Structures are given as C-alpha cells and as structure tokens.
Amino acid sequence: MKHVLDFERPVIDLREKITELKKLTEEKDIDLSEEIKTMEERLEKLEHDVYTNMQPWDRVQMARHPARPTTLEYIDHLFDGFLEMHGDRFYGDDKAIIGGIAKFEGTPVTVIGHQRGKDTKENIFRNFGMPHPEGYRKALRLMKQAEKFGRPVITFIDTKGAYPGKAAEERGQSEAIARNLMEMAGLEVPVICIVIGEGGSGGALGIGIGDRILMLENATYSVISPEGAASILWKDAAYARQAAESMKITSYDLQSLNIIDELIPEIMGGAHKDLHQQAEILKPYIRSTLEELKKQSVEERLENRYEKYKSIGEYATIDI
C-alpha cells in the first residue's frame, strides 16, 4: 500500500470508496453515476480543505514523504546532458551528495544536491541523504570549477542534516561545512539554492549559501529537527508537533521572515503526486532567477549577496 500521511487519511478513504463504486458499476452493471458524481464533488472540496489548510507538522510529514522527488529526479526533468562527477580528490566519493555539469535550456550550469533513497537499500547506499565531509568537499570542488568556467551553480537541498558519526567528525565535518559557507559567499558566478524537501541544520547550509533561495511549498528549513528541538525544550521527542509550530520552519514562515526569496507552489497533494508537473512548475522560477542574476555584474552580485545575509534577522543596540 502507498504511504499515507495521517492528515490526508480522510481524502484517501473517500477516494477508495469512489474507486469501489466504480468497480461495482462495472462488475454488477448497476448505475451509480449520481452517487459517484456526488462523492467526486465531495472529494474535490475535501482535497482543497485538507491540502490548503496544512499545519506545520503536516508539512514536515510531507517534506519527509518516501515518494517525494529527489535531486536526481528533478535533474532528469529539468536539465539536459547531465554528466555526474565523483570524488573530492582528498578522500573519496560521497553518495549522499551528487553533482555535475548539465544544460538548463541551453545554458551550461553546475548542478549539486543532496541525494537520498526511495527504499531501504538505496537509503543505505546514499547514507539517508546525510553527507560526510567528502561530500561537501566534492560540492566545493565542483563550485570552484564552475567559477573557473563561468557556469552558474544550482543546488538542491534535501537532507535531515550532515552525518553526525565519529568518522565524519574525524575527517573534519565542521571544517568542511564552514569552508563551504565561506567559499559560497564569495563565488563570482550566480548561485541559486532550492529547498526541495527537508533542509536540516548545517547539513543543508553547506550547499545553501546563494544569491537566491527558492523553496517548495511543502519543504521545511530549520536549524534542528522538530524532534530534536522537542527533546531539548521538553525532554521528550513526542512534542515534535508543538515544536514544529513554534520553530517557523515552513516555506510560508520563512518567506514572511525574508529568509527565502521565492515560495514555489506544489501541486495538490504534494510534489510526489506528479513529478513531471511539479518540475514544470519549478522550471520558470529557475529561468527567471537565472536571467535576473546574469544581468548583474560580479561586483553587484557579491554586494547583493552580502546584503542579503546581513539583513536576515533583527537586532537592537543599547547604550551602556
């Protein structure tokens, strides 16, 4: 059975009843067209009510949906001639971050993103989308290569966070992420970052510094997971729903706080319902953002990027 989220159960149940009636109509030759029509009208209204009134925790669940499109799936639908590149030239090749060169509507670009799996076997292979230091160093290598050849950089963010294991720390996890933050802040080519699923902590930020931050409607972006925040605040991860409501991690919250630049709508029921349609919705946002950034000089872009991050948040000074 397909993965069903708790909040959308009423929609799924009604849809299954309609399917049963249609099957009954075919098998028993009974005219139930009026009943089916009435239920389909109810379904349309119910879908609208459920999916347009999602709470923060509902969006967290949607961002984690096992069928949610991954970086590689978006690459297949948005870019031509993708050539994946491997390795950081220091340690190895991290499968949790993929990257390479491609063309977006004829424009050569460098594409980098977190890559998680769709099933247990693939998730183990991809380390559940949680990168080691060599993943961030691979990403930086590709970014510097893009800068050398004047290619815009497009990143896709979708990770619970950087891998927190001992081996990752021994190989310099924090240094690798910190270096990426510093280097991305000064890249001379346009940088577009797109949050497509979970944007978790420094693991997301390690490929998340850019001129424009775009975010899918049902994605999340936060310094810590709701479960992690609940464990700290209430000493109980069971309070994750309350934490999600307080943390301002949804696309709507982050847009109101001027942390993201564009909120990209998702199709009814979430991006996983129709990958092709969702990619078509995303495409014009990438196109217009690229066109806007390419009109700017290097100096203008770097100054605007600096001001963008400098203006995030609020603070006050007092005389002592």
Side-chain angles (χ1 to χ4, degrees):
M1 183 178 176
K2 291 182 178 180
H3 188 85
V4 178
L5 304 177
D6 291 339
F7 75 92
E8 61 179 357
R9 171 58 66 183
V11 173
I12 303 302
D13 289 344
L14 183 54
R15 189 176 293 141
E16 289 176 350
K17 289 179 182 178
I18 293 173
T19 301
E20 289 175 6
L21 285 181
K22 288 181 177 179
K23 185 178 180 181
L24 186 63
T25 298
E26 294 174 0
E27 293 178 350
K28 304 296 184 180
D29 195 23
I30 303 173
D31 185 9
L32 298 173
S33 56
E34 285 299 319
E35 289 84 351
I36 293 173
K37 181 181 178 182
T38 300
M39 293 180 74
E40 286 178 335
E41 291 173 352
R42 282 175 53 197
L43 176 62
E44 184 177 351
K45 183 178 185 302
L46 182 60
E47 283 183 324
H48 180 271
D49 291 343
V50 168
Y51 292 120
T52 58
N53 293 287
M54 292 169 61
Q55 300 303 305
W57 182 245
D58 299 333
R59 298 194 191 278
V60 170
Q61 299 304 302
M62 189 72 82
R64 294 173 175 174
H65 198 290
R68 193 167 179 84
T70 65
T71 295
L72 280 174
E73 289 178 311
Y74 279 116
I75 287 174
D76 286 342
H77 281 75
L78 292 168
F79 302 92
D80 298 316
F82 176 65
L83 176 64
E84 185 175 357
M85 297 184 175
H86 301 273
D88 67 343
R89 302 299 186 265
F90 289 100
Y91 181 83
D93 185 42
D94 188 350
K95 303 299 184 182
I97 283 188
I98 59 100
I101 56 177
K103 285 188 176 180
F104 177 77
E105 298 183 336
T107 299
V109 295
T110 289
V111 188
I112 301 166
H114 300 102
Q115 181 64 31
R116 56 178 177 78
K118 287 294 190 74
D119 55 34
T120 302
K121 182 178 180 180
E122 191 181 0
N123 267 318
I124 291 173
F125 178 70
R126 298 288 182 181
N127 200 39
F128 294 84
M130 296 186 294
H132 287 76
E134 52 270 22
Y136 294 106
R137 291 179 179 130
K138 173 170 67 173
L140 180 57
R141 178 175 75 82
L142 296 179
M143 291 180 213
K144 299 304 285 186
Q145 181 195 75
E147 184 177 50
K148 177 179 179 180
F149 292 101
R151 291 192 299 263
V153 174
I154 301 174
T155 71
F156 290 88
I157 296 168
D158 185 16
T159 182
K160 295 179 182 296
Y163 183 62
K166 180 183 177 183
E169 297 300 334
E170 288 175 342
R171 297 200 294 273
Q173 185 75 287
S174 57
E175 185 276 339
I177 293 174
R179 181 169 294 277
N180 277 24
L181 303 186
M182 178 185 72
E183 295 283 1
M184 290 186 79
L187 281 179
E188 296 186 354
V189 292
V191 182
I192 302 173
C193 306
I194 309 169
V195 187
I196 59 173
E198 283 189 274
S201 192
L205 209 56
I207 59 169
I209 301 296
D211 300 294
R212 295 289 184 275
I213 311 297
L214 281 53
M215 187 171 178
L216 292 187
E217 183 179 7
N218 294 320
T220 60
Y221 203 10
S222 65
V223 70
I224 192 173
S225 69
E227 291 87 350
S231 297
I232 294 171
L233 295 174
W234 292 289
K235 310 301 180 185
D236 189 348
Y239 287 90
R241 178 183 292 271
Q242 291 90 323
E245 293 173 356
S246 303
M247 291 167 64
K248 306 298 182 184
I249 63 177
T250 71
S251 57
Y252 291 95
D253 293 323
L254 296 170
Q255 186 180 50
S256 68
L257 294 170
N258 294 319
I259 292 176
I260 65 168
D261 301 292
E262 291 277 4
L263 187 162
I264 302 169
E266 292 191 25
I267 60 176
M268 188 71 72
H272 60 283
K273 296 293 185 182
D274 191 329
L275 169 60
H276 176 74
Q277 186 179 347
Q278 188 61 55
E280 288 301 309
I281 293 173
L282 175 56
K283 187 177 293 185
Y285 285 88
I286 298 177
R287 181 191 305 126
S288 61
T289 305
L290 265 180
E291 290 173 352
E292 176 191 353
L293 293 175
K294 286 195 293 186
K295 292 177 182 177
Q296 300 174 3
S297 68
V298 172
E299 292 74 19
E300 287 175 320
R301 259 198 315 271
L302 291 178
E303 180 62 25
N304 292 339
R305 195 182 300 165
Y306 172 73
E307 291 297 331
K308 169 183 171 59
Y309 287 95
K310 182 182 176 183
S311 65
I312 291 177
E314 297 179 0
Y315 64 91
T317 59
I318 58 173
D319 296 325
I320 299 178

